[in-house]
Amino acid sequence: AVWFGPQEVSTATAIGVFGNQLGVAVGFLLPPVLVPVSEDQAMVERGLTTMLYGTAAVTTCLFLLVLFVFQKEPPIPPSPAQAAIALSQSNNKSYLHSIHTLLVNRSFVLLLITYGINAGCFYSLSTLLNQIILHYFPNAEVSAGWVGLTIVFAGMVGSVLCGLWLDRTKTFKVTTLVVYLLTFAGMMTFTFTLDLGRMWVVFLVAGFLGFFMTGYLPLGFEFAAEITYPEPEGTSSGLLNASAQVFGMAFTLGMGALVGQGDIRVSLLVLSGGLFLGTILTAFIKSDLRRQAAGHAATLISDGPTNV
């Protein structure tokens, strides 16, 4: 919202998530190409060296671009809500004070938990997907990789479409709740269709699951910005990402233990249970759209003298 107006911000957030998922997709594709599966240790070492130095070069270039090119904010605020923040003293509060304000916001705490559950499920499923697929489809390493890409690419489409929908409807809570519910439905379907022995069904269900699971991510960021305004969006986004990492580690460790024992269905049911809990908690989040209200109020104030 610092750079984009009220009719663009959700789409911009979705495109940011799109870029993140594009990086994940590249991560699925490039390592097998650069680092061949070979008994020749020298060849593997050369591949690893190329991949690591290439990654270092790209990230260094990005760092320099951000450091010297990227500006903190535009010269003119893109929305009345951002203009109100610029004119107020709220942005002078300390970082710790801002975190405290967010953590006493009941709706944000619920969103913090539900976002962490959803993203954590995605992280753990992506990490252990190869083992899960190979349990039901032995010697299907290539197909397992393509299933992962299907989840990522479907999620890229879902994130952009969800952002576009949010920009046009502003139905933050309803959209978030419906997408979360469909993510839960997708995980349950994925859990109980793996043993059918039909790979095309796995691809279809994986695409459905990825579309809504990743499509939820920009919704979470934008919903958080709405219910925590005028607190800095970077703070709320950082806490959401921290929650995702914590839940991701917890789910991955728990699932890893279950998968290692061969309890694949139980591990997937754990994720499904987490998503069901997240759906219930999402229903209790209060739709307090403070950023929208501030924008409307600022517009009315600015237009008032003109209409008199």
Side-chain angles (χ1 to χ4, degrees):
V2 173
W3 284 91
F4 298 94
Q7 302 303 320
E8 305 166 331
V9 61
S10 297
T11 302
T13 302
I15 293 174
V17 174
F18 177 95
N20 178 278
Q21 296 305 305
L22 180 61
V24 174
V26 172
F28 272 109
L29 288 172
L30 280 186
V33 174
L34 297 175
V35 185
V37 178
S38 172
E39 295 182 357
D40 186 344
Q41 185 175 353
M43 181 181 295
V44 174
E45 289 178 353
R46 285 196 299 270
L48 284 171
T49 300
T50 301
M51 183 180 70
L52 295 176
Y53 276 116
T55 302
V58 171
T59 53
T60 300
C61 289
L62 293 175
F63 169 73
L64 293 175
L65 285 173
V66 171
L67 186 63
F68 295 108
V69 178
F70 189 77
Q71 301 177 21
K72 179 181 178 181
E73 58 189 14
I76 300 175
S79 67
Q82 286 300 310
I85 291 179
L87 292 173
S88 70
Q89 300 298 318
S90 60
N91 56 348
N92 292 329
K93 292 186 294 186
S94 70
Y95 182 67
L96 292 178
H97 185 276
S98 180
I99 290 179
H100 176 266
T101 302
L102 293 177
L103 293 180
V104 297
N105 183 328
R106 177 177 174 273
S107 293
F108 177 73
V109 171
L110 288 174
L111 182 60
L112 190 68
I113 296 171
T114 57
Y115 184 92
I117 291 173
N118 187 294
C121 287
F122 173 71
Y123 294 157
S124 60
L125 181 64
S126 300
T127 302
L128 299 169
L129 183 63
N130 191 65
Q131 298 177 55
I132 292 171
I133 297 297
L134 292 180
H135 177 82
Y136 292 96
F137 300 90
N139 303 316
E141 289 87 354
V142 175
S143 294
W146 282 106
V147 170
L149 280 176
T150 300
I151 293 175
V152 172
F153 281 126
M156 291 162 63
V157 176
S159 64
V160 172
L161 292 181
C162 285
L164 290 170
W165 172 262
L166 210 57
D167 267 336
R168 281 150 182 77
T169 65
K170 305 301 180 185
T171 53
F172 289 87
K173 180 175 178 177
V174 172
T175 303
T176 301
L177 182 59
V178 170
V179 170
Y180 215 118
L181 180 61
L182 291 174
T183 302
F184 164 67
M187 181 61 74
M188 287 293 291
T189 305
F190 185 76
T191 300
F192 289 102
T193 54
L194 281 171
D195 57 359
L196 295 179
R198 292 177 172 82
M199 184 59 76
W200 69 268
V201 175
V202 175
F203 275 99
L204 184 64
V205 176
F208 178 88
L209 176 61
F211 182 93
F212 291 105
M213 180 174 277
T214 306
Y216 170 83
L217 301 182
L219 300 180
F221 284 125
E222 283 302 294
F223 200 10
E226 287 291 334
I227 63 178
T228 61
Y229 179 90
E231 297 303 322
E233 295 173 21
T235 306
S236 61
S237 299
L239 289 176
L240 290 179
N241 280 324
S243 176
Q245 300 302 319
V246 170
F247 277 97
M249 288 187 292
F251 279 132
T252 301
L253 291 173
M255 274 194 70
L258 292 171
V259 170
Q261 297 174 3
D263 297 326
I264 305 295
R265 175 163 291 182
V266 174
S267 68
L268 293 173
L269 285 174
V270 169
L271 295 187
S272 299
L275 291 171
F276 178 73
L277 175 62
T279 303
I280 299 299
L281 293 178
T282 300
F284 288 97
I285 298 176
K286 184 180 179 181
S287 185
D288 183 14
L289 306 183
R290 301 179 181 180
R291 187 174 64 181
Q292 295 293 314
H296 293 322
T299 302
L300 290 174
I301 292 173
S302 62
D303 291 346
T306 304
N307 296 330
V308 174

